[in-house]
Amino acid sequence: MAYFQYQGRSIYYEVYGQGEPLIFLHGNTASSKMFELLMPLYAEKFRCILIDFLGNGQSDRVEEFSPDLWYEEALQTICLMEHLHWGKASLIGTSGGAWAAVNAALERPDLLRAVVADSFDGRTLNADFAKNLLAEREAAKANWQARQFYEWCQGEDWEKVVDLDTRALLRCAAEKRPLFHKPLEGLQLPILLLGSKEDEMCRGDLEEEYEAMASLLPQASVHLFSNGGHPAIASRAEEAADIICNFLSRQAPGEAGR
């Protein structure tokens, strides 16, 4: 168990394995716990770092989340890399964490080798994002399994965390905030766009969106599973790990992929 400081607050992170640094970025209303069960698939090849973004998991709480939440999380990720001083890292961001990963790569490409962006809507939020978000969050609160997941990730104050996150995302959508703070075309790093065609939490035209993004990025790869839930890294865990590890082993020298 370890912490680093970001703007006077404590952010939790944990490390598994040895090798090239690989940082896992969780999605909205989740925490680093969502990756713990996946560590046997990655920790023999990489030094895996799991982070709880501010306001989530075992990190300090906040009064509000910024509507530019994914950019703020990118800055926290950059701060973590600077704190560790372990050389260039790769990022795996899933769902909301994928936007954080891409933003971090756009801000500080000098700190990174490659990015995996899993199960997210891409350049824009889908047209029904706000309506779907409200319906999904209300249904989740009424669902025992979803409530258990929230509590497992966040602790006893899970409902406040979820409500704050919902409020921030609704502001982001209503104010049409940019999801990337720099032009996406400026991303020169290798990036893998990962997801599932059956993912009901992503936009219906996910395949077309990923291909359009890939056409803008010189080192982009796309892999969409024909079936699977949200996120792909968990619902298709073993297959996703094989694809991700093979992708990263082609980018990073040293121990990755050995």
Side-chain angles (χ1 to χ4, degrees):
M1 179 180 294
Y3 292 87
F4 69 98
Q5 293 295 303
Y6 176 79
Q7 297 185 351
R9 297 179 184 268
S10 295
I11 296 182
Y12 169 85
Y13 70 97
E14 191 161 356
V15 180
Y16 297 81
Q18 296 292 327
E20 294 285 336
L22 176 59
I23 303 175
F24 289 73
L25 307 182
H26 64 78
N28 294 69
T29 70
S31 73
S32 60
K33 280 189 173 293
M34 69 173 289
F35 297 119
E36 288 179 356
L37 297 177
L38 302 179
M39 286 300 96
L41 300 173
Y42 296 91
E44 290 186 1
K45 297 184 176 76
F46 300 95
R47 181 183 295 183
C48 302
I49 304 104
L50 312 187
I51 179 177
D52 286 343
F53 290 126
L54 272 182
N56 294 274
Q58 298 183 65
S59 291
D60 282 353
R61 292 297 186 254
V62 295
E63 293 303 314
E64 294 285 344
F65 287 121
S66 167
D68 291 318
L69 178 62
W70 298 313
Y71 179 68
E72 179 65 27
E73 291 174 347
L75 298 182
Q76 295 171 39
T77 304
I78 291 167
C79 186
L80 171 61
M81 290 187 283
E82 292 176 333
H83 168 78
L84 293 174
H85 292 295
W86 286 346
K88 289 190 176 184
S90 295
L91 300 178
I92 297 180
T94 189
S95 193
W99 279 296
V102 175
N103 272 303
L106 289 168
E107 288 294 320
R108 292 296 304 274
D110 57 301
L111 296 176
L112 293 168
R113 294 197 188 281
V115 174
V116 178
D118 170 43
S119 302
F120 77 126
D121 276 352
R123 296 167 296 175
T124 61
L125 300 175
N126 70 73
D128 295 323
F129 177 82
K131 180 180 70 175
N132 292 342
L133 177 70
L134 285 170
E136 182 267 323
R137 294 285 167 88
E138 288 305 311
K141 285 185 179 182
N143 179 277
W144 180 86
Q145 188 173 7
R147 290 167 64 93
Q148 289 294 109
F149 175 78
Y150 285 148
E151 185 169 2
W152 178 60
C153 285
Q154 306 293 0
E156 294 181 356
D157 64 342
W158 67 265
E159 191 162 8
K160 181 178 180 181
V161 175
V162 171
D163 288 345
L164 289 177
D165 183 85
T166 302
R167 188 183 309 170
L169 293 184
L170 290 176
R171 276 192 63 193
C172 178
E175 297 170 9
K176 294 181 168 46
R177 298 275 181 140
L179 305 185
F180 305 121
H181 277 232
K182 290 186 176 180
L184 182 64
E185 296 85 341
L187 181 63
Q188 300 296 310
L189 294 169
I191 182 169
L192 170 63
L193 302 172
L194 186 71
S196 167
K197 295 179 182 179
E198 288 186 350
D199 189 341
E200 295 182 353
M201 294 183 69
C202 287
R203 64 197 304 153
D205 61 344
L206 184 62
E207 184 171 11
E208 291 82 358
E209 174 62 15
Y210 274 11
E211 291 296 343
M213 291 178 68
S215 71
L216 301 174
L217 302 171
Q219 298 192 68
S221 303
V222 176
H223 186 95
L224 280 169
F225 295 104
S226 59
N227 52 66
H230 185 84
I233 195 175
S235 68
R236 299 296 298 270
E238 292 186 0
E239 299 99 324
D242 286 343
I243 291 163
I244 290 170
C245 289
N246 286 335
F247 167 75
L248 293 177
S249 70
R250 296 196 300 271
Q251 322 305 332
E255 297 183 30
R258 287 185 181 176

